[in-house]
């Protein structure tokens, strides 16, 4: 779901990070979809080398992916040229780098954080480049090999935790969509088609470019036999990470181990970070509703099933038996004094409303439900603040029933004065929070009724767009305040403190708003 | 003539009472009102009804006069109709106005009794909170025992009260599993539970979007980076950032 303000927000971000030229190329791709170099030159009215360099920057930072469309039946010559597709999500992820670093600092040591920081800063790096960075940072006294080994060990740690992955292929050939995919696309409504088509194309390109699951988290050391024991051990465990290992691919990798350090590019694995943030969001949401026991059980379930998740937007976790949940619960510090019966009771608590579904004595987390609830919370909070508690009550009623309800019926269910109900509903309708339909009856005295309904998808999109707008505004205001701060440095301490507090509040709000955006956009 | 009128006539055997002194017109008006039972009738509809039933065309002032005399003779009464409070609505004294006219237990004099509702809601919440898991029956019985509502609440009406609490996100509906805390409740029965960590009437936690000025801004659709309304010059931002 890319909205108008989403595009503006992304372009603003690229402008602040990489300047106007790159932003112009990026905006062109965001608005027009995948384009060839020639088309980009034509639309942006920049010189060919300017566009090329901008594309290189964007590719280096994982914001654009090149691909070769497979020659179609029509033999269209233009289609054989390399096309460039912009990856909107990866642009927005740039705001989340502090969050990603935070996750790594909780799980791994300082050296790994530094390594990831380098990857986030530069987009893609080879092992050699990473080690060079480490050498520049650390004491120069140690030998090159020692530092290379240390860097390699850290990279392996990050790979084992799936925080880093191998970069996708530079220019994959796009296979024709399977019949299933194309028929699925045909069914959608016309208006949503363009956006949807772009999204499925993005998926297909990324699928084609992704390294095989076996290679994705695999680092083959230069000389396996020379590696010391500790390294070897961690290395083999990184081998295990690959699920479907292709032995021939592995062999060729081993041979070219030395060259790999110079050529093979690594990058941060945004997917894993998003998965962890998603899990964290689920826990935060649940904590507001249930007691600590239930939260500990959910956390344990998330921990146990994380590695089995294939994509970020997974709807259900892998089912777990009560025993394996208990096993996982007692692994954590806070879960150690929880009894088996309490875990069982917590699971009962979690299953109404159904955050966790129980089928045949095994339990699976209903992510979709938890995320939907978090979305409703956010929307209702906005409705409450903008239109008051009566409006929020009506909105909740309509959003819970999910169908048309007549004005008087709404007044009855919410215990709100019949005269006031239509006015409140009208306000919500005017701002696109409700959908209204008139029902005309011929004959009797009362000739028309008003029916109201909440269209969840439309609202989600509407709120997300406003959130992107708000995020852009926060950024602009923050930039403005920082600018002012420079001018005011000569001012008194008191005034400076005030400025600092403002900047702090703005950046905190930015992070919190981004959490909400993730709930609507990424999860 | 309607069959109701016959039944009512039997019920109201009062020899020598005021009804003896009724004029024909008075009688006609009274018959129409009685025939409407607990629903009563609008003053303006009486004329039409009499015309249909008796074929007489009574002028408006005559009907007003009849109504006045019937009210003074204590045969009919005026009631407030929640549908249209401005119109005069009459009902025979033999009947209590139906819920459709009065609005039900939560209405007083044709308007919603918000004070009583607030009190009842608090009682509901307290009771559910005390029991931890409560059934509809338990809450209804408790509320009726307190004698706060003027009339006995039906289960349906209590459900409406709890429904409003659910919409305010203070109470949630759960299905009994028959074990643990539900041990005393049959499996599958709908019960109510207070949402923990939320006191009655407390403001819910404000969402991330709603806690910044843009989230509640009525002018967000007019706001552009360099427009008349812009984040740099925004008055709401200035207020928010003014410590």
């Amino acid at each position: 779901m890319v909205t108008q303000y989403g595009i503006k927000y992304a372009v603003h971000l690229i402008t602040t990070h990489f300047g106007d030229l790159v932003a112009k190329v990026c905006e062109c791709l965001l608005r027009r979809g995948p384009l060839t170099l020639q088309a980009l030159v034509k639309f942006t009215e920049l010189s060919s080398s300017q566009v090329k360099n901008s594309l290189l920057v964007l590719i280096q930072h994982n914001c654009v992916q090149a691909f070769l469309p497979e020659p179609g039946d029509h033999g269209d010559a233009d289609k054989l040229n390399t096309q460039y597709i912009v990856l909107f999500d990866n642009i927005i992820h740039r705001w989340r780098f502090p969050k990603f670093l935070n996750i790594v600092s909780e799980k791994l040591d300082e050296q790994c954080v530094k390594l990831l920081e380098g990857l986030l800063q530069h987009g893609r790096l080879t092992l050699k480049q990473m080690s060079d960075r480490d050498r520049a940072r650390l004491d120069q006294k140690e030998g090159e090999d020692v530092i290379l080994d240390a860097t390699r060990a850290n990279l392996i740690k990050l790979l084992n935790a799936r925080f880093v992955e191998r970069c996708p292929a530079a220019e994959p050939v796009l296979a024709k969509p399977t019949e299933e995919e194309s028929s699925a696309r045909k069914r959608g409504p016309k208006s949503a088609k363009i956006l949807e088509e772009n999204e499925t194309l993005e998926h297909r390109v990324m699928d084609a470019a992704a390294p095989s699951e076996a290679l994705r988290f695999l680092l083959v050391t230069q000389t396996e036999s020379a590696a010391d024991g500790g390294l070897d051990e961690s290395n083999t465990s990184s081998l295990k990470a690959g699920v479907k290992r292709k032995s021939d691919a592995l062999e060729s990798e081993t041979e070219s181990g030395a060259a790999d350090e110079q050529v093979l590019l690594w990058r941060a694995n945004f997917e894993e970070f998003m998965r962890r943030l998603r899990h964290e969001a689920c826990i935060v949401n649940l904590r507001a509703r249930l007691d600590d026991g239930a939260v500990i059980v959910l956390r344990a379930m998330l921990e146990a099933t994380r590695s089995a998740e294939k994509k970020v937007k997974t709807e259900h976790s892998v089912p777990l038996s009560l025993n394996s949940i208990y096993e996982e619960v007692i692994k954590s510090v806070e879960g150690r004094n929880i009894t088996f019966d309490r875990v069982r009771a917590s699971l009962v608590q979690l299953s109404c409303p159904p955050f966790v579904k129980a089928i045949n004595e095994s339990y699976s987390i209903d992510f979709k439900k938890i995320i939907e609830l978090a979305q409703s919370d956010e929307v209702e909070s906005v409705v409450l603040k903008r239109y008051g508690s009566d409006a929020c009550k009506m909105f909740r009623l309509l959003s819970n029933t999910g169908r048309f309800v007549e004005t008087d019926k709404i007044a009855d269910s919410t215990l709100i004065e019949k005269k006031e109900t239509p006015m409140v509903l009208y306000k919500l309708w005017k701002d696109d929070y409700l959908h209204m339909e008139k029902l005309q009856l011929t004959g009797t005295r009362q000739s028309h009724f008003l029916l109201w309904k909440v269209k969840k998808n439309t609202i989600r999109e509407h709120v997300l767009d406003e959130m992107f707008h708000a995020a852009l505004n926060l950024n602009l205001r923050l930039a403005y305040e920082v600018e002012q701060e420079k001018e005011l440095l000569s001012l008194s301490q008191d005034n400076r403190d005030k400025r600092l507090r403002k900047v702090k509040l703005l950046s905190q709000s930015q992070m919190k708003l981004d959490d909400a955006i993730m709930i609507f956009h990424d999860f | 003539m309607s069959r109701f009128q016959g039944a009512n006539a039997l019920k109201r055997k009062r020899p020598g009472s005021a009804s003896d002194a009724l004029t024909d017109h008075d009688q006609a008006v009274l018959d129409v009102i009685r025939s409407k039972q607990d629903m009563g009738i609008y003053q303006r509809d009486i004329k039409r009804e009499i015309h249909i039933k008796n074929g007489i065309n009574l002028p408006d002032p005559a009907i007003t006069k009849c109504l006045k005399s019937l009210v003074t003779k204590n045969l009919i009464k005026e009631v407030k109709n929640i549908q249209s409070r401005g119109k005069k609505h009459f009902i025979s004294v033999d009947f209590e106005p139906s819920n459709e006219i009065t609005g039900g237990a939560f209405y007083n004099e044709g308007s919603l009794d918000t004070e009583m509702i607030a009190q009842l809601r608090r009682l509901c919440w307290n009771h559910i909170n005390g029991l931890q898991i409560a059934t509809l029956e338990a809450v209804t019985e408790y509320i009726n025992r307190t004698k706060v509502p003027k009339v006995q609440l039906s289960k349906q009406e209590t459900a409406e009260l709890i429904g409003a609490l659910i919409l305010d996100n203070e109470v949630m509906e759960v299905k009994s599993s028959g074990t643990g805390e539900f041990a005393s409740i049959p499996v599958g029965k709908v019960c109510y539970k207070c949402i923990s960590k939320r006191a009655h009437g407390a403001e819910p936690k404000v969402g991330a979007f709603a806690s910044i000025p843009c989230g509640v801004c009525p002018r967000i659709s007019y706001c552009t980076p360099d427009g008349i309304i812009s984040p740099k010059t925004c008055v709401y931002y200035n207020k928010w950032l003014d410590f």
Side-chain angles (χ1 to χ4, degrees):
Chain A
M1 213 177 358
V2 181
T3 65
Q4 282 310 308
Y5 267 96
I7 293 178
K8 284 187 193 169
Y9 180 54
V11 171
H12 169 76
L13 189 141
I14 294 293
T15 313
T16 41
H17 287 188
F18 307 117
D20 292 335
L21 281 184
V22 181
K24 197 167 181 188
V25 172
C26 181
E27 179 164 11
C28 187
L29 286 172
L30 277 167
R31 295 203 184 274
R32 292 177 189 267
L35 291 174
T36 60
L37 181 62
Q38 291 91 321
L40 266 170
V41 171
K42 194 178 116 198
F43 289 131
T44 53
E45 293 173 350
L46 297 173
S47 75
S48 175
S49 69
Q50 280 173 323
V51 174
K52 211 181 273 175
N53 287 332
S54 302
L55 280 174
L56 284 174
V57 169
L58 288 166
I59 292 172
Q60 170 74 21
H61 288 276
N62 308 305
C63 299
V64 161
Q65 173 71 44
F67 69 98
L68 264 178
E70 209 200 35
D73 301 331
H74 318 294
D76 196 343
D78 188 47
K79 289 210 164 162
L80 284 174
N81 286 331
T82 307
Q83 296 207 3
Y84 299 90
I85 187 168
V86 68
L87 307 172
F88 176 80
D89 290 356
N90 284 6
I91 299 178
I92 301 300
H93 288 335
R94 298 188 66 81
W95 290 128
R96 301 172 182 150
F97 288 173
K99 289 179 189 170
F100 297 169
L101 286 169
N102 208 11
I103 293 175
V104 175
S105 70
E106 276 170 19
K107 301 277 168 194
L108 300 171
D109 58 24
E110 180 63 24
Q111 298 304 317
C112 294
V113 177
K114 284 275 180 262
L115 197 66
L116 184 78
E117 210 178 308
L119 280 172
L120 292 175
Q121 213 171 352
H122 295 276
R124 313 173 158 197
L125 291 175
T126 60
L127 179 60
K128 180 80 179 34
Q129 285 169 322
M130 286 186 248
S131 138
D132 287 348
R133 270 176 54 85
D134 277 349
R135 206 169 55 236
R137 188 167 51 84
L138 294 167
D139 224 343
Q140 301 269 332
K141 269 179 274 169
E142 286 179 67
E144 199 173 311
D145 284 345
V146 180
I147 292 182
L148 186 66
D149 282 346
T151 312
R152 188 184 290 122
N154 287 331
L155 181 60
I156 287 173
K157 274 190 220 163
L158 284 164
L159 282 168
N160 281 343
R162 303 199 169 191
F163 290 137
V164 170
E165 63 177 354
R166 195 176 283 218
C167 281
E171 199 179 330
V173 177
L174 189 64
K176 272 186 199 164
T178 58
E179 273 189 17
E180 219 176 278
E181 275 174 345
S182 50
S183 66
R185 262 186 296 149
K186 270 176 206 155
R187 262 183 260 128
K190 250 187 189 169
S191 56
K193 223 170 183 176
I194 298 171
L195 275 177
E196 213 174 289
E197 229 162 86
N198 272 343
E199 250 168 55
T200 45
L201 181 65
E202 189 184 314
H203 280 303
R204 282 172 50 217
V205 170
M206 289 324 291
D207 281 349
S212 75
E213 202 57 27
L215 292 176
R216 195 171 166 193
F217 304 106
L218 178 67
L219 171 70
V220 181
T221 44
Q222 199 168 354
T223 39
E224 292 267 30
S225 50
D228 62 89
L231 194 62
D232 217 328
E233 203 185 346
S234 49
N235 192 22
T236 37
S237 64
S238 93
L239 286 178
K240 276 184 216 148
V243 187
K244 294 172 282 179
R245 196 170 64 195
K246 290 175 192 155
S247 57
D248 53 336
L250 187 65
E251 267 164 40
S252 65
E253 283 299 318
T254 324
E255 281 162 25
S256 55
D260 276 356
E261 287 177 3
Q262 310 271 354
V263 202
L264 206 58
L265 283 164
W266 302 95
R267 65 171 190 179
N269 178 15
F270 293 152
E271 209 181 291
E272 178 66 20
F273 288 116
M274 292 314 285
R275 183 171 299 132
R276 287 183 188 253
L277 288 173
R278 186 180 192 233
H279 288 182
E280 203 48 50
C282 288
I283 290 171
V284 168
N285 189 262
L286 220 67
R287 187 170 283 147
R289 290 162 210 275
L290 300 173
D291 64 17
D292 293 347
V295 174
I296 291 169
V297 170
L298 186 85
R299 194 187 283 276
M301 288 178 77
L302 288 170
E303 204 62 47
T305 56
R306 178 175 297 125
S307 59
E309 282 183 37
K310 287 275 183 299
K311 51 180 190 189
V312 177
K313 291 189 177 184
T314 309
E315 288 188 10
H316 300 281
S317 69
V318 183
L320 283 178
S321 70
L322 184 56
N323 279 322
S324 40
I325 294 173
Y326 183 64
E327 233 170 78
E328 192 65 39
V329 165
I330 50 174
K331 269 190 210 164
S332 62
V333 181
E334 69 267 40
R336 219 150 274 163
N337 49 8
I338 289 185
T339 60
F340 193 74
D341 277 344
R342 238 189 102 199
V343 172
R344 196 200 302 266
S346 292
L347 281 168
V348 170
Q349 211 186 351
L350 280 164
S351 52
C352 64
F355 298 125
V356 166
K357 277 187 180 157
I359 308 153
N360 296 338
E361 290 294 301
S362 48
Y363 300 87
S364 142
I365 302 165
D366 191 344
F367 285 116
K368 207 174 157 211
K369 173 93 189 168
I370 302 178
I371 298 297
E372 268 177 14
L373 218 61
Q375 289 176 347
S376 319
D377 280 356
E378 199 61 48
V379 177
E380 282 160 18
S381 188
V382 170
V383 172
L384 179 71
K385 278 261 178 173
R386 277 196 204 175
Y387 309 97
S389 65
D390 284 355
C392 184
K393 225 187 272 183
M394 293 177 199
F395 182 81
R396 269 177 65 87
L397 171 79
L398 292 170
S399 122
N400 290 350
T401 48
R403 51 184 166 75
F404 281 106
V405 185
E406 203 261 320
T407 317
D408 276 358
K409 199 98 189 96
I410 296 174
D412 286 340
S413 307
T414 49
L415 291 180
I416 292 168
E417 192 68 70
K418 284 208 164 66
K419 217 171 57 187
E420 284 162 23
T421 317
M423 289 188 271
V424 178
L425 288 169
Y426 177 73
K427 264 192 232 157
L428 285 170
W429 171 75
K430 220 179 76 203
D431 288 354
D432 282 339
Y433 281 88
L434 291 184
H435 178 73
M436 184 247 287
E437 253 172 50
K438 269 187 189 160
L439 189 66
Q440 213 78 30
L441 289 183
T442 44
T444 47
R445 217 177 308 145
Q446 190 167 20
S447 55
H448 74 273
F449 295 94
L450 295 181
L451 302 174
W452 311 83
K453 186 183 169 176
V454 165
K455 282 193 174 169
K456 280 189 185 163
N457 282 344
T458 326
I459 290 196
R460 232 184 27 224
E461 214 167 298
H462 175 79
V463 171
L464 180 64
D465 194 42
E466 281 192 348
M467 277 187 185
F468 277 132
H469 191 170
L472 176 64
N473 281 354
L474 273 175
N475 269 303
L476 291 170
R477 182 72 189 210
L478 186 63
Y480 171 76
E481 293 290 340
V482 170
E483 193 67 26
Q484 297 269 303
E485 198 180 339
K486 278 182 201 152
E487 287 168 22
L488 288 166
L489 273 183
S490 55
L491 276 183
S492 68
Q493 183 68 33
D494 192 35
N495 269 336
R496 232 178 301 163
D497 285 351
K498 223 182 211 179
R499 285 277 150 198
L500 280 177
R501 279 213 302 275
K502 275 186 196 182
V503 171
K504 202 174 157 199
L505 176 62
L506 282 166
S507 21
Q508 275 172 352
S509 304
Q510 240 177 349
M511 284 294 142
K512 264 169 63 188
L513 181 63
D514 181 61
D515 284 342
I517 288 177
M518 283 196 279
I519 289 173
F520 282 78
H521 181 72
D522 302 271
F523 302 159
Chain B
M1 232 358 103
S2 128
R3 67 190 167 84
F4 302 119
Q5 198 243 336
N8 290 332
L10 281 177
K11 213 189 272 176
R12 294 189 46 80
K13 263 186 197 162
R14 278 196 227 153
S17 76
S19 61
D20 289 343
L22 290 182
T23 65
D24 284 352
H25 288 170
D26 284 350
Q27 191 61 51
V29 172
L30 183 61
D31 288 346
V32 166
I33 294 173
R34 276 185 185 159
S35 74
K36 294 293 170 191
Q37 294 196 3
D38 62 354
M39 285 303 291
I41 188 168
Y42 288 135
Q43 178 174 356
R44 281 170 62 192
D45 292 340
I46 295 174
K47 182 177 173 182
R48 197 165 41 102
E49 291 277 326
I50 290 178
H51 182 70
I52 294 166
K53 282 186 178 163
N54 306 4
I56 318 166
N57 221 345
L58 276 180
D60 282 334
I63 291 179
T64 317
K65 205 177 138 203
C66 294
L67 287 169
K68 264 190 192 155
S69 103
L70 288 169
V71 170
T72 40
K73 282 173 186 152
N74 206 18
L75 290 170
I76 60 166
K77 59 186 173 185
E78 197 185 330
V79 284
K80 286 245 162 62
N81 184 342
I82 53 149
Q83 304 289 350
S84 43
R85 253 173 279 161
K87 288 182 185 172
K88 291 211 167 197
H89 203 92
F90 291 93
I91 184 171
S92 157
V93 287
D94 305 332
F95 299 98
E96 275 303 317
S98 85
N99 282 354
E100 267 177 74
I101 305 294
T102 60
F106 306 127
Y107 283 80
N108 184 17
E109 294 284 309
S111 54
L112 205 63
D113 193 344
T114 42
E115 239 170 71
M116 185 186 69
I117 290 171
Q119 204 184 348
L120 288 173
R121 277 171 50 118
R122 198 165 40 246
L123 286 171
C124 275
W125 191 87
N126 283 341
H127 192 61
I128 297 172
N129 197 34
L131 287 178
Q132 289 190 332
I133 298 282
T135 58
L136 181 57
E137 290 76 13
V139 181
T140 314
E141 198 208 308
Y142 170 75
I143 295 286
N144 283 329
R145 231 178 21 229
T146 60
K147 300 265 190 285
V148 172
K150 283 171 297 183
V151 288
Q152 290 270 304
L153 288 193
S154 64
K155 271 205 283 187
Q156 171 65 29
E157 281 158 340
T158 318
E160 276 174 30
L161 274 176
I162 299 175
L165 282 171
I166 292 174
L167 289 179
D168 277 333
N169 225 352
E170 294 187 10
V171 167
M172 64 178 169
E173 202 178 273
V174 286
K175 272 211 176 90
S176 166
S177 63
T179 57
E181 49 188 4
F182 298 104
S184 57
I185 300 162
V187 181
K189 187 165 173 59
V190 173
C191 320
Y192 303 99
K193 193 176 166 179
C194 283
I195 291 180
S196 51
K197 300 179 182 179
R198 197 78 209 262
H200 176 63
E203 282 272 305
K205 206 176 136 257
V206 181
F209 185 34
S211 60
I212 60 168
C214 298
V216 289
C217 181
R219 294 274 173 274
I220 188 158
S221 47
Y222 303 102
C223 172
T224 49
D226 299 305
I228 300 168
I229 301 177
S230 97
K232 283 178 201 164
T233 55
C234 173
V235 283
Y236 299 110
Y237 262 97
N238 290 343
K239 226 188 222 167
W240 183 48
L241 294 173
D242 184 29
F243 300 111

